[in-house]
Amino acid sequence: MFMHYEVLENLFCNWLERLLIVDGFQRIITVNDYVKGIFNVDGKVFRLTDSDKINRRWRGKSFNELSDVEQRRIKNTTIHAIIFSQKKPLGNNTGMYQIFERINTSGRTLFPQEIRNSVYQNKEINKLLIELNNYKTWRLLFGSKKFDSRMRDIEFILRFFALRDVYLNPPPTTMISLKKCLNDFMGEDINNTPERLSFLRELFKTSIDCVFSSLGSSAFHNLSHQGFSTKFNPTIFDSIVIAVSFENDSEKLSNLKSHHLDLLENQDYQDLIKIRTTNTLNIISRIDMVKKYMNENIED
């Protein structure tokens, strides 16, 4: 399929909330911004740079400063496009994720959360994940003020939500596909409702605050010969923060602090955070083990 600029502009006006640009998004946005005359990043007049790569007669010019002939040539330029439509299954973007994943295999291969950020860019859950990634306590526990350029920090937040649901409603399968589990969570309509988003926001912040107040900045680090490792551990993270999301009264948090080293020195726990980590039973067992230490010596 090919289109002229007027058709492209119509796509932006009428299809923006229904279609996703899988590849070439930045290039199309740049063309659109230049013709409109305003650069969307900073709201300034969009002029071409003074670069040797640009013909001398066009350097530093905005679209409105071009001649009528030059403006028509740009607007009449053909832009090739292929439009995909998922027929089955309806109501999710599984096909779009796979297409995006396959298209972006050359150059710098995109990480899973980078793809989700594009496929689910209009989903409210995606906006919430980006918001929560700015949460000060989370940055301290993740161990870096600087955002991960490959969005792994955002994926860990999503992992907390999705695996918590796995714990509450274990699937019939022995193993889960973590990628599919995270994709499905973002695509579920229920996870994009105002009530659910409000619940998830408060759940994450409360749980993260409780972990930090009890265990400090090394909460999600494993043991090493020199004490705590400097590396963030995803399976320690999900087991502790999910357990705390259910068991966060002061006495149990105090217990977690007292038994933190005992937990990390427990060989069964070490196996659960290292071996077959996406096994459904292992996910549940490592969370239950944290809860066991939190409830140590506490009478019902």
Side-chain angles (χ1 to χ4, degrees), residues 92-110:
N92 64 50
N93 287 314
T94 54
M96 291 303 296
Y97 185 95
Q98 293 176 30
I99 291 168
F100 200 104
E101 191 173 34
R102 292 176 186 180
I103 286 175
N104 287 277
T105 53
S106 60
R108 189 183 83 158
T109 302
L110 294 180

Side-chain angles (χ1 to χ4, degrees), residues 22-233:
V22 175
D23 192 42
F25 179 82
Q26 190 58 54
R27 283 165 285 181
I28 291 175
I29 289 292
T30 301
V31 171
N32 188 61
D33 285 355
Y34 184 65
V35 173
K36 289 174 67 176
I38 301 295
F39 191 40
N40 76 86
V41 172
D42 56 17
K44 295 180 180 178
V45 174
F46 194 158
R47 288 188 169 85
L48 298 177
T49 60
D50 187 13
S51 168
D52 293 339
K53 295 181 180 179
I54 298 175
N55 190 296
R56 188 179 301 276
R57 67 186 183 199
W58 297 321
R59 293 177 193 171
K61 288 187 176 182
S62 68
F63 183 79
N64 289 334
E65 292 170 335
L66 301 178
S67 68
D68 289 342
V69 172
E70 291 168 335
Q71 290 183 18
R72 283 198 300 274
R73 283 181 62 187
I74 291 176
K75 286 193 171 184
N76 289 331
T77 298
T78 299
I79 299 174
H80 294 272
I82 299 172
I83 297 177
F84 297 95
S85 177
Q86 180 166 315
K87 303 296 185 183
K88 294 181 181 179
L90 294 173
N92 64 50
N93 287 314
T94 54
M96 291 303 296
Y97 185 95
Q98 293 176 30
I99 291 168
F100 200 104
E101 191 173 34
R102 292 176 186 180
I103 286 175
N104 287 277
T105 53
S106 60
R108 189 183 83 158
T109 302
L110 294 180
F111 277 29
Q113 194 59 35
E114 292 179 288
I115 298 176
R116 292 185 196 101
N117 183 55
S118 296
V119 173
Y120 301 103
Q121 60 186 271
N122 292 323
K123 292 285 189 179
E124 292 302 315
I125 185 65
N126 193 53
K127 299 173 185 176
L128 176 63
L129 292 173
I130 293 171
E131 172 197 325
L132 293 176
N133 198 40
N134 283 279
Y135 192 52
K136 183 178 178 180
T137 311
W138 165 242
R139 299 314 310 173
L140 292 171
L141 284 166
F142 181 68
S144 174
K145 293 181 180 179
K146 184 179 180 181
F147 299 137
D148 190 309
S149 62
R150 311 309 300 272
M151 293 188 163
R152 282 166 289 207
D153 44 5
I154 292 178
E155 183 174 83
F156 289 135
I157 301 173
L158 174 61
R159 179 188 177 111
F160 161 58
F161 293 140
L163 292 189
R164 190 177 190 271
D165 275 8
V166 169
Y167 181 82
L168 285 171
N169 301 290
T173 56
T174 304
M175 301 282 289
I176 65 164
S177 164
L178 185 60
K179 182 189 295 184
K180 183 178 184 302
C181 181
L182 301 187
N183 291 350
D184 290 347
F185 190 92
M186 290 194 73
E188 285 287 343
D189 289 339
I190 191 172
N191 292 326
N192 286 275
T193 61
E195 297 81 7
R196 177 68 167 165
L197 292 164
S198 179
F199 168 77
L200 294 175
R201 178 184 290 106
E202 185 61 26
L203 177 71
F204 178 77
K205 289 184 175 182
T206 299
S207 302
I208 286 295
D209 286 342
C210 286
V211 171
F212 185 74
S213 66
S214 301
L215 305 180
S217 59
S218 299
F220 305 136
H221 297 198
N222 208 343
L223 294 177
S224 69
H225 296 300
Q226 291 77 34
F228 283 106
S229 166
T230 59
K231 188 177 180 182
F232 179 97
N233 187 297

